[in-house]
mmCIF file of all heavy atoms in Angstrom:
data_model
loop_
_atom_site.group_PDB
_atom_site.id
_atom_site.type_symbol
_atom_site.label_atom_id
_atom_site.label_comp_id
_atom_site.label_asym_id
_atom_site.label_seq_id
_atom_site.Cartn_x
_atom_site.Cartn_y
_atom_site.Cartn_z
ATOM 1 N N VAL M 1 21.882 -49.197 31.470
ATOM 2 C CA VAL M 1 21.169 -49.442 30.136
ATOM 3 C C VAL M 1 20.012 -48.490 29.807
ATOM 4 O O VAL M 1 19.476 -48.450 28.782
ATOM 5 C CB VAL M 1 20.594 -50.868 30.044
ATOM 6 C CG1 VAL M 1 21.748 -51.897 30.162
ATOM 7 C CG2 VAL M 1 19.550 -51.073 31.087
ATOM 8 N N PHE M 2 19.760 -47.580 30.825
ATOM 9 C CA PHE M 2 18.652 -46.722 30.731
ATOM 10 C C PHE M 2 18.739 -45.590 29.735
ATOM 11 O O PHE M 2 18.011 -45.180 29.030
ATOM 12 C CB PHE M 2 18.151 -46.217 32.131
ATOM 13 C CG PHE M 2 16.986 -45.295 32.033
ATOM 14 C CD1 PHE M 2 15.720 -45.742 31.619
ATOM 15 C CD2 PHE M 2 17.052 -43.920 32.405
ATOM 16 C CE1 PHE M 2 14.641 -44.903 31.613
ATOM 17 C CE2 PHE M 2 15.856 -43.102 32.395
ATOM 18 C CZ PHE M 2 14.680 -43.652 31.980
ATOM 19 N N ALA M 3 20.034 -45.062 29.827
ATOM 20 C CA ALA M 3 20.394 -43.846 29.001
ATOM 21 C C ALA M 3 21.015 -44.211 27.693
ATOM 22 O O ALA M 3 22.059 -43.691 27.328
ATOM 23 C CB ALA M 3 21.346 -42.906 29.818
ATOM 24 N N LEU M 4 20.255 -45.006 26.896
ATOM 25 C CA LEU M 4 20.777 -45.316 25.473
ATOM 26 C C LEU M 4 20.620 -44.158 24.635
ATOM 27 O O LEU M 4 19.598 -43.359 24.612
ATOM 28 C CB LEU M 4 19.990 -46.454 24.994
ATOM 29 C CG LEU M 4 20.311 -47.876 25.498
ATOM 30 C CD1 LEU M 4 19.260 -48.802 25.019
ATOM 31 C CD2 LEU M 4 21.661 -48.301 25.130
ATOM 32 N N GLU M 5 21.679 -43.873 23.741
ATOM 33 C CA GLU M 5 21.579 -42.876 22.776
ATOM 34 C C GLU M 5 20.744 -43.410 21.525
ATOM 35 O O GLU M 5 20.679 -44.618 21.270
ATOM 36 C CB GLU M 5 23.003 -42.552 22.285
ATOM 37 C CG GLU M 5 23.926 -41.972 23.403
ATOM 38 C CD GLU M 5 23.430 -40.515 23.819
ATOM 39 O OE1 GLU M 5 22.745 -39.920 23.040
ATOM 40 O OE2 GLU M 5 23.773 -40.218 24.936
ATOM 41 N N ASP M 6 20.282 -42.499 20.773
ATOM 42 C CA ASP M 6 19.457 -42.818 19.565
ATOM 43 C C ASP M 6 20.192 -43.686 18.682
ATOM 44 O O ASP M 6 19.624 -44.684 18.146
ATOM 45 C CB ASP M 6 18.932 -41.628 18.926
ATOM 46 C CG ASP M 6 17.789 -40.900 19.701
ATOM 47 O OD1 ASP M 6 17.159 -41.615 20.638
ATOM 48 O OD2 ASP M 6 17.375 -39.778 19.373
ATOM 49 N N ASP M 7 21.412 -43.410 18.435
ATOM 50 C CA ASP M 7 22.294 -44.237 17.513
ATOM 51 C C ASP M 7 22.389 -45.602 18.039
ATOM 52 O O ASP M 7 22.305 -46.677 17.147
ATOM 53 C CB ASP M 7 23.640 -43.674 17.358
ATOM 54 C CG ASP M 7 23.664 -42.346 16.535
ATOM 55 O OD1 ASP M 7 22.551 -42.017 15.892
ATOM 56 O OD2 ASP M 7 24.620 -41.572 16.592
ATOM 57 N N ASP M 8 22.529 -45.859 19.288
ATOM 58 C CA ASP M 8 22.650 -47.187 19.820
ATOM 59 C C ASP M 8 21.369 -47.924 19.721
ATOM 60 O O ASP M 8 21.294 -49.170 19.415
ATOM 61 C CB ASP M 8 23.097 -47.108 21.307
ATOM 62 C CG ASP M 8 24.441 -46.657 21.569
ATOM 63 O OD1 ASP M 8 25.258 -46.924 20.605
ATOM 64 O OD2 ASP M 8 24.791 -45.954 22.564
ATOM 65 N N ILE M 9 20.172 -47.235 20.043
ATOM 66 C CA ILE M 9 18.904 -47.781 19.829
ATOM 67 C C ILE M 9 18.679 -48.284 18.461
ATOM 68 O O ILE M 9 18.203 -49.452 18.151
ATOM 69 C CB ILE M 9 17.746 -46.882 20.300
ATOM 70 C CG1 ILE M 9 17.917 -46.616 21.779
ATOM 71 C CG2 ILE M 9 16.425 -47.365 19.802
ATOM 72 C CD1 ILE M 9 16.941 -45.504 22.334
ATOM 73 N N ASP M 10 18.944 -47.459 17.465
ATOM 74 C CA ASP M 10 18.814 -47.836 16.071
ATOM 75 C C ASP M 10 19.644 -49.037 15.707
ATOM 76 O O ASP M 10 19.108 -49.887 14.943
ATOM 77 C CB ASP M 10 19.197 -46.561 15.121
ATOM 78 C CG ASP M 10 18.299 -45.437 15.268
ATOM 79 O OD1 ASP M 10 17.140 -45.663 15.757
ATOM 80 O OD2 ASP M 10 18.589 -44.390 14.808
ATOM 81 N N ARG M 11 20.819 -49.040 16.091
ATOM 82 C CA ARG M 11 21.645 -50.190 15.814
ATOM 83 C C ARG M 11 21.175 -51.474 16.451
ATOM 84 O O ARG M 11 21.106 -52.560 15.752
ATOM 85 C CB ARG M 11 23.110 -49.912 16.371
ATOM 86 C CG ARG M 11 24.060 -51.081 16.232
ATOM 87 C CD ARG M 11 25.472 -50.797 16.639
ATOM 88 N NE ARG M 11 25.446 -50.279 18.058
ATOM 89 C CZ ARG M 11 25.406 -51.152 19.111
ATOM 90 N NH1 ARG M 11 25.333 -52.423 18.929
ATOM 91 N NH2 ARG M 11 25.386 -50.573 20.322
ATOM 92 N N LEU M 12 20.795 -51.380 17.667
ATOM 93 C CA LEU M 12 20.324 -52.624 18.432
ATOM 94 C C LEU M 12 18.984 -53.089 17.833
ATOM 95 O O LEU M 12 18.760 -54.294 17.701
ATOM 96 C CB LEU M 12 20.216 -52.337 19.888
ATOM 97 C CG LEU M 12 21.457 -52.212 20.677
ATOM 98 C CD1 LEU M 12 21.132 -51.515 22.045
ATOM 99 C CD2 LEU M 12 22.185 -53.557 20.773
ATOM 100 N N ALA M 13 18.146 -52.178 17.525
ATOM 101 C CA ALA M 13 16.805 -52.495 16.921
ATOM 102 C C ALA M 13 17.146 -53.225 15.518
ATOM 103 O O ALA M 13 16.436 -54.197 15.274
ATOM 104 C CB ALA M 13 16.006 -51.317 16.809
ATOM 105 N N GLU M 14 18.055 -52.604 14.686
ATOM 106 C CA GLU M 14 18.266 -53.153 13.341
ATOM 107 C C GLU M 14 18.750 -54.609 13.570
ATOM 108 O O GLU M 14 18.421 -55.512 12.734
ATOM 109 C CB GLU M 14 19.165 -52.297 12.620
ATOM 110 C CG GLU M 14 19.369 -52.783 11.216
ATOM 111 C CD GLU M 14 20.320 -51.920 10.313
ATOM 112 O OE1 GLU M 14 20.678 -50.852 10.884
ATOM 113 O OE2 GLU M 14 20.674 -52.264 9.258
ATOM 114 N N GLU M 15 19.661 -54.755 14.466
ATOM 115 C CA GLU M 15 20.370 -56.074 14.644
ATOM 116 C C GLU M 15 19.238 -57.107 15.093
ATOM 117 O O GLU M 15 19.248 -58.307 14.594
ATOM 118 C CB GLU M 15 21.445 -56.106 15.705
ATOM 119 C CG GLU M 15 22.638 -55.284 15.276
ATOM 120 C CD GLU M 15 23.664 -55.128 16.397
ATOM 121 O OE1 GLU M 15 23.363 -55.554 17.538
ATOM 122 O OE2 GLU M 15 24.758 -54.613 16.155
ATOM 123 N N THR M 16 18.361 -56.732 15.939
ATOM 124 C CA THR M 16 17.240 -57.543 16.365
ATOM 125 C C THR M 16 16.303 -57.978 15.291
ATOM 126 O O THR M 16 16.004 -59.152 15.084
ATOM 127 C CB THR M 16 16.441 -56.865 17.619
ATOM 128 O OG1 THR M 16 17.385 -56.649 18.621
ATOM 129 C CG2 THR M 16 15.358 -57.825 17.952
ATOM 130 N N ILE M 17 15.912 -56.857 14.491
ATOM 131 C CA ILE M 17 14.960 -57.168 13.452
ATOM 132 C C ILE M 17 15.552 -58.086 12.373
ATOM 133 O O ILE M 17 14.924 -59.060 11.879
ATOM 134 C CB ILE M 17 14.527 -55.904 12.827
ATOM 135 C CG1 ILE M 17 13.541 -55.112 13.868
ATOM 136 C CG2 ILE M 17 13.699 -56.099 11.496
ATOM 137 C CD1 ILE M 17 13.297 -53.632 13.391
ATOM 138 N N GLU M 18 16.809 -57.844 12.028
ATOM 139 C CA GLU M 18 17.582 -58.783 11.021
ATOM 140 C C GLU M 18 17.646 -60.052 11.556
ATOM 141 O O GLU M 18 17.501 -61.106 10.778
ATOM 142 C CB GLU M 18 18.841 -58.187 10.712
ATOM 143 C CG GLU M 18 18.824 -56.969 9.800
ATOM 144 C CD GLU M 18 18.130 -57.211 8.453
ATOM 145 O OE1 GLU M 18 18.422 -58.316 7.936
ATOM 146 O OE2 GLU M 18 17.345 -56.498 8.008
ATOM 147 N N ALA M 19 17.854 -60.355 12.758
ATOM 148 C CA ALA M 19 18.034 -61.660 13.375
ATOM 149 C C ALA M 19 16.693 -62.440 13.325
ATOM 150 O O ALA M 19 16.670 -63.614 12.920
ATOM 151 C CB ALA M 19 18.622 -61.593 14.791
ATOM 152 N N VAL M 20 15.618 -61.716 13.659
ATOM 153 C CA VAL M 20 14.324 -62.371 13.628
ATOM 154 C C VAL M 20 13.918 -62.683 12.227
ATOM 155 O O VAL M 20 13.480 -63.726 11.865
ATOM 156 C CB VAL M 20 13.272 -61.556 14.345
ATOM 157 C CG1 VAL M 20 11.912 -62.188 14.293
ATOM 158 C CG2 VAL M 20 13.649 -61.377 15.871
ATOM 159 N N ALA M 21 14.033 -61.706 11.402
ATOM 160 C CA ALA M 21 13.612 -61.800 9.933
ATOM 161 C C ALA M 21 14.491 -62.876 9.259
ATOM 162 O O ALA M 21 14.039 -63.553 8.356
ATOM 163 C CB ALA M 21 13.790 -60.551 9.205
ATOM 164 N N GLY M 22 15.763 -63.028 9.800
ATOM 165 C CA GLY M 22 16.545 -64.017 9.222
ATOM 166 C C GLY M 22 16.073 -65.460 9.213
ATOM 167 O O GLY M 22 16.399 -66.271 8.342
ATOM 168 N N LEU M 23 15.297 -65.781 10.208
ATOM 169 C CA LEU M 23 14.793 -67.070 10.352
ATOM 170 C C LEU M 23 13.763 -67.378 9.284
ATOM 171 O O LEU M 23 13.717 -68.496 8.757
ATOM 172 C CB LEU M 23 14.076 -67.299 11.681
ATOM 173 C CG LEU M 23 13.360 -68.657 11.973
ATOM 174 C CD1 LEU M 23 14.402 -69.705 11.920
ATOM 175 C CD2 LEU M 23 12.691 -68.629 13.282
ATOM 176 N N MET M 24 13.019 -66.353 8.901
ATOM 177 C CA MET M 24 12.074 -66.542 7.791
ATOM 178 C C MET M 24 12.834 -66.772 6.426
ATOM 179 O O MET M 24 12.425 -67.610 5.558
ATOM 180 C CB MET M 24 11.299 -65.247 7.552
ATOM 181 C CG MET M 24 10.107 -65.424 6.520
ATOM 182 S SD MET M 24 8.859 -66.640 7.138
ATOM 183 C CE MET M 24 8.663 -67.706 5.708
ATOM 184 N N ALA M 25 14.024 -66.133 6.333
ATOM 185 C CA ALA M 25 14.734 -66.424 5.092
ATOM 186 C C ALA M 25 15.300 -67.843 5.010
ATOM 187 O O ALA M 25 15.408 -68.420 3.934
ATOM 188 C CB ALA M 25 15.975 -65.326 5.124
ATOM 189 N N CYS M 26 15.666 -68.277 6.233
ATOM 190 C CA CYS M 26 16.212 -69.731 6.262
ATOM 191 C C CYS M 26 15.111 -70.726 6.004
ATOM 192 O O CYS M 26 15.223 -71.618 5.201
ATOM 193 C CB CYS M 26 16.611 -70.013 7.761
ATOM 194 S SG CYS M 26 18.143 -69.198 8.270
ATOM 195 N N ILE M 27 13.862 -70.447 6.399
ATOM 196 C CA ILE M 27 12.715 -71.293 6.111
ATOM 197 C C ILE M 27 12.426 -71.329 4.628
ATOM 198 O O ILE M 27 12.322 -72.397 4.027
ATOM 199 C CB ILE M 27 11.480 -70.818 6.931
ATOM 200 C CG1 ILE M 27 11.655 -71.079 8.423
ATOM 201 C CG2 ILE M 27 10.222 -71.595 6.427
ATOM 202 C CD1 ILE M 27 10.672 -70.477 9.339
ATOM 203 N N GLN M 28 12.455 -70.154 4.030
ATOM 204 C CA GLN M 28 12.140 -70.005 2.610
ATOM 205 C C GLN M 28 13.225 -70.731 1.811
ATOM 206 O O GLN M 28 12.972 -71.409 0.820
ATOM 207 C CB GLN M 28 12.008 -68.567 2.292
ATOM 208 C CG GLN M 28 10.697 -67.891 2.899
ATOM 209 C CD GLN M 28 10.706 -66.365 2.617
ATOM 210 O OE1 GLN M 28 11.778 -65.764 2.502
ATOM 211 N NE2 GLN M 28 9.476 -65.893 2.514
ATOM 212 N N GLU M 29 14.477 -70.579 2.147
ATOM 213 C CA GLU M 29 15.552 -71.107 1.352
ATOM 214 C C GLU M 29 15.573 -72.564 1.442
ATOM 215 O O GLU M 29 15.778 -73.289 0.419
ATOM 216 C CB GLU M 29 16.846 -70.533 1.850
ATOM 217 C CG GLU M 29 17.993 -70.973 0.954
ATOM 218 C CD GLU M 29 19.387 -70.337 1.397
ATOM 219 O OE1 GLU M 29 19.381 -69.246 2.217
ATOM 220 O OE2 GLU M 29 20.342 -70.684 0.767
ATOM 221 N N CYS M 30 15.324 -73.108 2.598
ATOM 222 C CA CYS M 30 15.330 -74.583 2.765
ATOM 223 C C CYS M 30 14.132 -75.222 1.895
ATOM 224 O O CYS M 30 14.366 -76.245 1.296
ATOM 225 C CB CYS M 30 15.147 -74.969 4.277
ATOM 226 S SG CYS M 30 15.339 -76.728 4.550
ATOM 227 N N ARG M 31 12.948 -74.627 2.110
ATOM 228 C CA ARG M 31 11.798 -75.185 1.402
ATOM 229 C C ARG M 31 12.035 -75.131 -0.196
ATOM 230 O O ARG M 31 11.725 -76.087 -0.888
ATOM 231 C CB ARG M 31 10.590 -74.409 1.709
ATOM 232 C CG ARG M 31 10.136 -74.681 3.251
ATOM 233 C CD ARG M 31 8.815 -73.907 3.592
ATOM 234 N NE ARG M 31 8.452 -74.349 4.865
ATOM 235 C CZ ARG M 31 7.291 -73.822 5.492
ATOM 236 N NH1 ARG M 31 6.545 -73.035 4.840
ATOM 237 N NH2 ARG M 31 7.009 -74.112 6.773
ATOM 238 N N ALA M 32 12.557 -74.016 -0.621
ATOM 239 C CA ALA M 32 12.861 -73.843 -1.914
ATOM 240 C C ALA M 32 13.830 -74.959 -2.506
ATOM 241 O O ALA M 32 13.729 -75.447 -3.613
ATOM 242 C CB ALA M 32 13.295 -72.441 -2.330
ATOM 243 N N ALA M 33 14.852 -75.127 -1.679
ATOM 244 C CA ALA M 33 15.919 -76.217 -2.097
ATOM 245 C C ALA M 33 15.338 -77.569 -2.182
ATOM 246 O O ALA M 33 15.616 -78.302 -3.100
ATOM 247 C CB ALA M 33 17.076 -76.128 -1.079
ATOM 248 N N VAL M 34 14.469 -77.924 -1.230
ATOM 249 C CA VAL M 34 13.782 -79.244 -1.271
ATOM 250 C C VAL M 34 12.929 -79.342 -2.566
ATOM 251 O O VAL M 34 12.956 -80.310 -3.245
ATOM 252 C CB VAL M 34 12.969 -79.568 -0.058
ATOM 253 C CG1 VAL M 34 12.171 -80.805 -0.223
ATOM 254 C CG2 VAL M 34 13.749 -79.565 1.212
ATOM 255 N N GLY M 35 12.103 -78.290 -2.839
ATOM 256 C CA GLY M 35 11.310 -78.264 -4.041
ATOM 257 C C GLY M 35 12.041 -78.356 -5.238
ATOM 258 O O GLY M 35 11.774 -79.042 -6.204
ATOM 259 N N ASP M 36 13.229 -77.672 -5.301
ATOM 260 C CA ASP M 36 13.992 -77.737 -6.570
ATOM 261 C C ASP M 36 14.653 -79.108 -6.754
ATOM 262 O O ASP M 36 14.749 -79.557 -7.991
ATOM 263 C CB ASP M 36 15.127 -76.624 -6.434
ATOM 264 C CG ASP M 36 14.639 -75.224 -6.656
ATOM 265 O OD1 ASP M 36 13.508 -75.053 -6.984
ATOM 266 O OD2 ASP M 36 15.394 -74.274 -6.231
ATOM 267 N N ARG M 37 15.111 -79.663 -5.736
ATOM 268 C CA ARG M 37 15.728 -80.989 -5.809
ATOM 269 C C ARG M 37 14.724 -82.058 -6.360
ATOM 270 O O ARG M 37 15.128 -82.935 -7.074
ATOM 271 C CB ARG M 37 16.319 -81.443 -4.452
ATOM 272 C CG ARG M 37 17.030 -82.755 -4.464
ATOM 273 C CD ARG M 37 17.775 -83.091 -3.179
ATOM 274 N NE ARG M 37 18.424 -84.335 -3.281
ATOM 275 C CZ ARG M 37 19.527 -84.563 -3.871
ATOM 276 N NH1 ARG M 37 20.197 -83.560 -4.422
ATOM 277 N NH2 ARG M 37 19.997 -85.825 -3.950
ATOM 278 N N LEU M 38 13.486 -81.924 -5.881
ATOM 279 C CA LEU M 38 12.524 -82.968 -6.316
ATOM 280 C C LEU M 38 11.567 -82.451 -7.446
ATOM 281 O O LEU M 38 10.525 -83.014 -7.700
ATOM 282 C CB LEU M 38 11.662 -83.344 -5.051
ATOM 283 C CG LEU M 38 12.481 -84.033 -3.960
ATOM 284 C CD1 LEU M 38 11.510 -84.342 -2.819
ATOM 285 C CD2 LEU M 38 13.198 -85.300 -4.488
ATOM 286 N N SER M 39 11.927 -81.326 -8.071
ATOM 287 C CA SER M 39 11.109 -80.678 -9.036
ATOM 288 C C SER M 39 10.549 -81.592 -10.062
ATOM 289 O O SER M 39 9.283 -81.672 -10.316
ATOM 290 C CB SER M 39 11.731 -79.490 -9.687
ATOM 291 O OG SER M 39 10.972 -78.811 -10.523
ATOM 292 N N GLU M 40 11.322 -82.255 -10.782
ATOM 293 C CA GLU M 40 10.918 -83.131 -11.863
ATOM 294 C C GLU M 40 10.006 -84.220 -11.437
ATOM 295 O O GLU M 40 8.970 -84.397 -12.021
ATOM 296 C CB GLU M 40 12.142 -83.733 -12.581
ATOM 297 C CG GLU M 40 11.805 -84.488 -13.818
ATOM 298 C CD GLU M 40 13.060 -84.910 -14.594
ATOM 299 O OE1 GLU M 40 14.196 -84.457 -14.305
ATOM 300 O OE2 GLU M 40 12.877 -85.838 -15.531
ATOM 301 N N ALA M 41 10.365 -84.862 -10.235
ATOM 302 C CA ALA M 41 9.600 -85.913 -9.759
ATOM 303 C C ALA M 41 8.191 -85.448 -9.298
ATOM 304 O O ALA M 41 7.158 -86.158 -9.442
ATOM 305 C CB ALA M 41 10.324 -86.674 -8.632
ATOM 306 N N ILE M 42 8.277 -84.275 -8.723
ATOM 307 C CA ILE M 42 6.882 -83.664 -8.282
ATOM 308 C C ILE M 42 5.973 -83.392 -9.494
ATOM 309 O O ILE M 42 4.759 -83.744 -9.461
ATOM 310 C CB ILE M 42 7.127 -82.348 -7.544
ATOM 311 C CG1 ILE M 42 7.907 -82.602 -6.151
ATOM 312 C CG2 ILE M 42 5.835 -81.594 -7.355
ATOM 313 C CD1 ILE M 42 8.349 -81.342 -5.526
#
């Protein structure tokens, strides 16, 4: 694993960042959905 090529590093880093950032997207989408469902009552 020591001799990684730059292309492999870019791919792995992008996959990692997208996976971590994806959790924030889940949080935002769920909260928005709850708010939308109860919007009128709120």
Side-chain angles (χ1 to χ4, degrees):
V1 301
F2 181 62
L4 283 173
E5 298 292 338
D6 285 346
D7 288 347
D8 291 329
I9 290 176
D10 291 343
R11 175 180 55 80
L12 290 167
E14 183 178 356
E15 289 174 358
T16 300
I17 291 169
E18 283 300 316
V20 178
L23 179 59
M24 189 66 230
C26 294
I27 293 171
Q28 292 172 328
E29 187 174 351
C30 186
R31 292 182 179 183
V34 174
D36 288 346
R37 181 171 179 79
L38 298 177
S39 179
E40 184 175 348
I42 291 169

